[in-house]
Amino acid sequence: MRRFNRAVLAAVTLSTATTLAAAPAEAHDRPAHALGIDNCAATACHFDVAPGTYDVRVLLGGEAAASTAVGGETRRALLPETATAAGERVARSFTVNVRTPEGEPTGPEGTPGLDLVLGGSAPALADIRVTPAGRHTRQIFLVGDSTVCDQPGDPYTGWGQQLPQYLRKGLSVANYADSGESTVTYLANSALFRTVQPLIRPGDLVLVQLAHNDKQTDEPTYRANLETLVAGIRERGGKPVLVTPIVRRWFNADGTLNNGTALLVNGLGVDHPAVIRAVAAAQGVPLIDLTTKTKALVESLGVEGSKALYLYNEKRDNTHTSVHGATVYAELVRDELVAQRLVPRGGVR
């Protein structure tokens, strides 16, 4: 799975055509400045833009054969690795969300502006252009916990951190998932839902996956909190999508995950995925049953094969995903977004 390295690589070439347009007026009071070739050095580019949403067009390739991926901000995967033949140039575009804090909502502010990093086995950049995204851009907001968020430190990686690379220009991920949050705390903390809700525009998707930390939340409260989130999203004209939690890698002797620990049943006996399914049905909300999908995948890989999806080898952690696992789970989410026609097939990679 892709790692984004800031080391100098001789294969990288930068064109003097590198440009930056002004930030959108509504993004922030601070103006953006036109930037040129000085904003890229080796495998890293920095653009002094205000918080907002930006389209990025890259021209990949060089005189030698190359293979280039693009990441940025807090370890987000923004463009999958793309191979180019010697002398070939390939254009790719994506849309990126720039915010403060740039990662988890309750985390450090991060670096102002937009930071992009080239990765891949032999990265080569011929040109890059960053422009304000138009009003046609559709945001996909993520409301969740540590299994979803933009994790700041390797090897931890949330599936929401890997999702942007599968979306084409015009679809942007605004990941407001935060480590340690439950439905109770996400509604109570002003940095979380009360910050997200005003940003939602008509037609935006809001994916909600909260369960892992509702360990002491009773069923009526858990159900009511999900309903409050759904109502708050709809109040802004957004489209809520409920997502059941990824399973914990906790096997029975028979090789199945048919136990409360794996399937997110809390100490009070609340079956979180079952409640989410019931609320989705009652409220007429699209459902991505990630519990069922990840359960099937983990069981198919078995005790040994599934270790690589999680941080078992690194941390003896059966809850949080590796870069590999987060990427695989992001692909499951992408496929469901398309299958349920929540995003157009042409909008994904």
Side-chain angles (χ1 to χ4, degrees):
M1 300 294 93
R2 289 170 285 282
R3 302 282 296 278
F4 301 103
N5 190 338
R6 292 180 182 269
V8 175
L9 293 172
V12 177
T13 60
L14 298 172
S15 165
T16 55
T18 301
T19 56
L20 172 68
E26 68 272 19
H28 198 274
D29 291 335
R30 180 173 60 87
H33 303 284
L35 302 173
I37 190 65
D38 291 343
N39 301 109
C40 291
T43 57
C45 299
H46 173 77
F47 301 95
D48 183 20
V49 297
T53 307
Y54 296 88
D55 291 332
V56 179
R57 182 185 184 276
V58 293
L59 190 64
L60 305 177
E63 295 309 310
S67 189
T68 311
V70 181
E73 297 295 271
T74 304
R75 301 178 59 240
R76 299 181 215 164
L78 299 172
L79 187 70
E81 190 160 350
T82 302
T84 49
E88 181 184 18
R89 302 291 188 274
V90 173
R92 293 287 185 271
S93 297
F94 56 88
T95 302
V96 62
N97 171 255
V98 177
R99 60 183 183 273
T100 303
E102 72 176 39
E104 296 180 85
T106 63
E109 288 195 359
T111 305
L114 171 62
D115 288 286
L116 300 176
V117 184
L118 302 181
S121 59
L125 178 67
D127 190 22
I128 185 168
R129 180 177 175 82
V130 177
T131 56
R135 293 189 177 276
H136 65 280
T137 297
R138 192 179 185 193
Q139 296 271 38
I140 300 178
F141 289 91
L142 303 182
V143 168
D145 53 33
S146 58
T147 66
V148 184
C149 74
D150 287 349
Q151 288 279 1
D154 185 60
Y156 292 93
T157 309
W159 62 254
Q161 207 160 12
Q162 297 298 104
L163 183 61
Q165 66 185 310
Y166 296 120
L167 304 178
R168 297 182 185 274
K169 176 184 172 183
L171 287 171
S172 174
V173 174
N175 191 350
Y176 282 84
D178 197 67
S179 293
E181 306 300 343
S182 65
T183 58
V184 176
T185 61
Y186 205 91
L187 286 167
N189 190 330
S190 61
L192 299 172
F193 192 62
R194 277 179 278 171
T195 294
V196 175
Q197 189 185 26
L199 302 175
I200 300 169
R201 300 180 303 182
D204 285 342
L205 292 178
V206 186
L207 276 57
V208 178
Q209 186 214 280
L210 287 167
H212 279 86
N213 300 301
D214 279 279
K215 298 173 183 177
Q216 297 301 319
T217 309
D218 61 56
E219 184 167 332
T221 302
Y222 185 65
R223 181 184 295 268
N225 288 344
L226 291 175
E227 291 171 347
T228 297
L229 288 165
V230 167
I233 295 163
R234 284 175 165 167
E235 182 182 315
R236 295 288 301 173
K239 188 176 184 66
V241 180
L242 293 181
V243 183
T244 60
I246 66 170
V247 293
R248 294 190 180 99
R249 186 190 159 276
W250 199 265
F251 282 93
N252 294 331
D254 64 358
T256 70
L257 300 179
N258 296 323
N259 61 78
T261 299
L263 299 180
L264 282 296
V265 178
N266 75 7
L268 302 178
V270 180
D271 185 333
H272 292 104
V275 176
I276 295 168
R277 295 179 191 117
V279 171
Q283 297 287 321
V285 174
L287 174 75
I288 295 178
D289 197 342
L290 208 49
T291 306
T292 296
K293 290 188 172 296
T294 56
K295 178 179 187 289
L297 177 59
V298 170
E299 287 179 342
S300 72
L301 292 172
V303 174
E304 290 301 317
S306 63
K307 287 179 179 178
L309 294 173
Y310 292 82
L311 294 175
Y312 180 85
N313 294 324
E314 299 88 346
K315 303 284 186 179
R316 294 297 187 267
D317 186 332
N318 293 306
T319 298
H320 297 97
T321 48
S322 62
V323 174
H324 169 61
T327 302
V328 171
Y329 289 174
E331 290 172 348
L332 295 177
V333 174
R334 173 203 60 191
D335 292 347
E336 278 298 295
L337 290 173
V338 173
Q340 297 190 39
R341 298 182 179 179
L342 296 169
V343 301
R345 185 171 298 277
V348 303
R349 300 185 198 282

